[in-house]
Amino acid sequence: MTLADAIAAQAPLVQRLLDGVAEIGRDPPGITRDAFGPGENRARALIAAAGAALGLAASTDAGANLTLRWEGTDSAAKPILIGSHLDSVVQGGNFDGAAGVIAGLGAVAALQAAGRRPRAPIEVLALRCEEAVWFGLGLIGSRCLLARLPPGALELTHARTGRTLAQSIEDCGGDAAALRAGRPLRDPASLGAYLEVHIEQAPQLVEAEAPVAICLANPGNVRHPFIRITGADAHTGLPHRFRRDAALAGADLALELEKLWLAEEAEGRPMAVTIGRFHTPFGHHSLTMVSGGFEMSLDLRAYDPAHLAALEARLGEIVRMVAQRRRVEIALGERSAAAPGPMHPEIIAGLEAAAVRCGLPAPRLNSPGSHDANNFAASGVPTGMLLIRNRNGSHNPDEAMETADLMAAIHVLADYLAV
């Protein structure tokens, strides 16, 4: 059987798994697979069962990540890891993360059907809790694997259960004590490569009329989930010169950050600013009161470490300027960060060559999103990514990946692995 025929033969398996994780996460109008909860756990069990049917050896590490291993012809060779995540945001879409785990299984199944056993072992990873919505910190599975958890992370609490990250990991078969030791669960030097397949989070591939792209880099980010602005409550009629209006200070801060964003992009330095939470205090705000309190969140991202550091310095300057202008206090509060993830040049070239052999157009694109690939790249593991066309972005119920486009990505991935 040719590899192309073997790929085509895996379409029913791939569709069954896509439908399975959708049913597990069903939460109208979208999908919710809660990290370290029933949604992620049931999806993990579905993937584990599919791996067992392919003869893959399953293991769970101290971070409760699932690894499904297929031995190569040379057991001493460094393994090639194919990974992504199974959790989702609340009422998001079905494909963000899950499509990448399923792609790994689809590629292994196709190689087996075609009788093409690679030299190096292949490991399909279902990494825990990639989405930051659950603990205010993202990429947790890969952070655990590579000893990149920030100080205090194991004491963060789950948005739904209230249990700490340490308790949540142990509830799912992990070992928080091993994580506290601060040593990588896998030595990065022992890993041959990390590959990730992920839906694109912007409509660039729709524009390009291509089913798949070769990722050049993922942005790193600096996040402040709980920025607090403190002014003074006052009567609605208070003249402007006397006000310490926290709500207007929040608006001011947001607009200054947008000015920064537009100026940077005009100079050819891609970045992004996202404000997800933006509100006066619930239970205290009023139609007839100047609000002395305001809360917001901030995600600041860029593709180059030096650029991201410079943007964070500018953030500090903007905060000081707005605080002085509005006569308020602005506390940025908790901070988390993810390093930018440049893809490895040799893997980029190898995936491009595979796409050519498959007869597929595969433009080079930056990904708008940070992914587990960032942590592998930052740890020195050669890293590559394929992006799949997705019409309506991600983190919403309308994610619109076509299974045929996922199959195209699986074809490129399997061809790359078979060389």
Side-chain angles (χ1 to χ4, degrees):
M1 182 184 293
T2 68
L3 184 57
D5 289 340
I7 295 291
Q10 305 317 311
L13 168 65
V14 168
Q15 191 62 60
R16 176 175 63 81
L17 293 175
L18 289 173
D19 293 344
V21 294
E23 184 59 35
I24 286 168
R26 188 177 302 282
D27 184 15
I31 295 289
T32 303
R33 290 187 293 265
D34 46 335
F36 297 106
E40 189 183 54
N41 289 340
R42 289 177 59 204
R44 181 187 185 279
L46 177 71
I47 295 300
L54 295 172
L56 309 186
S59 61
T60 299
D61 64 25
N65 299 306
L66 172 67
T67 297
L68 301 168
R69 182 178 171 103
W70 183 34
E71 292 295 343
T73 59
D74 181 359
S75 60
K78 294 181 179 180
I80 307 300
L81 277 55
I82 306 168
S84 197
H85 62 101
L86 295 169
D87 65 313
S88 75
V89 299
V90 177
Q91 293 186 329
N94 189 44
F95 307 118
D96 184 338
V101 180
I102 293 167
L105 288 177
V108 168
L111 290 168
Q112 289 181 346
R116 306 278 291 274
R117 192 177 195 123
R119 182 181 71 85
I122 305 295
E123 297 183 4
V124 178
L125 272 60
L127 295 162
R128 290 282 186 171
C129 193
E130 192 262 7
E131 302 292 359
V133 64
W134 301 108
F135 289 93
L137 177 71
L139 314 178
I140 284 176
S142 54
R143 288 179 189 270
C144 290
L145 190 71
L146 298 163
R148 299 184 69 85
L149 285 173
L154 290 169
E155 278 62 61
L156 295 172
T157 55
H158 194 286
R160 284 194 168 175
T161 68
R163 292 181 67 73
T164 67
L165 177 57
Q167 291 169 330
S168 301
I169 287 171
E170 294 197 334
D171 290 344
C172 296
D175 182 354
L179 299 176
R180 291 187 194 281
R183 293 187 295 271
L185 305 181
R186 302 286 294 271
D187 178 4
S190 73
L191 304 176
Y194 174 80
L195 305 174
E196 186 165 349
V197 178
H198 204 284
I199 60 170
E200 199 203 358
Q201 293 166 303
Q204 298 174 99
L205 282 170
V206 176
E207 287 182 339
E209 298 183 344
V212 63
I214 312 299
C215 183
L216 295 176
N218 297 328
N221 63 61
V222 172
R223 287 172 169 166
H224 291 280
F226 300 107
I227 298 174
R228 292 180 172 86
I229 302 175
T230 305
D233 292 343
H235 187 278
T236 331
L238 189 69
H240 189 279
R241 67 185 182 278
F242 298 120
R243 293 193 182 203
R244 297 176 59 214
D245 191 323
L248 287 181
D252 210 357
L253 178 56
L255 291 174
E256 290 293 339
L257 288 169
E258 186 187 35
K259 287 180 187 177
L260 171 65
W261 182 5
L262 294 175
E264 291 294 302
E265 291 213 330
E267 293 294 326
R269 295 187 290 268
M271 60 165 292
V273 170
T274 302
I275 296 169
R277 295 173 53 253
F278 194 76
H279 57 86
T280 49
F282 301 126
H284 183 65
H285 52 193
S286 167
L287 175 65
T288 58
M289 183 179 73
V290 175
S291 183
F294 197 81
E295 297 182 10
M296 57 190 288
S297 65
L298 174 64
D299 179 302
L300 187 66
R301 56 185 55 197
Y303 291 90
D304 177 78
H307 187 206
L308 188 60
L311 291 173
E312 188 167 17
R314 285 287 292 124
L315 169 64
E317 293 170 4
I318 290 169
V319 163
R320 288 189 289 274
M321 178 183 69
V322 171
Q324 183 177 19
R325 184 160 67 207
R326 294 288 180 178
R327 299 190 304 128
V328 298
E329 296 177 1
I330 302 178
L332 290 175
E334 300 168 20
R335 175 190 182 276
S336 67
M343 300 298 108
H344 195 280
E346 290 182 10
I347 296 180
I348 291 173
L351 291 171
E352 285 185 324
V356 169
R357 290 191 296 271
C358 296
L360 291 167
R364 291 184 171 197
L365 294 174
N366 283 327
S367 169
S370 299
H371 304 288
D372 287 301
N374 290 51
N375 284 327
F376 286 91
S379 298
V381 179
T383 299
M385 281 191 71
L386 292 171
L387 303 174
I388 312 166
R389 179 166 51 191
N390 169 44
R391 192 167 298 277
N392 297 325
S394 70
H395 291 190
N396 69 73
D398 298 320
E399 289 176 3
M401 183 200 74
E402 298 291 337
T403 303
D405 290 345
L406 177 58
M407 298 308 298
I410 292 172
H411 196 176
V412 175
L413 178 62
D415 188 281
Y416 174 83
L417 294 169
V419 172

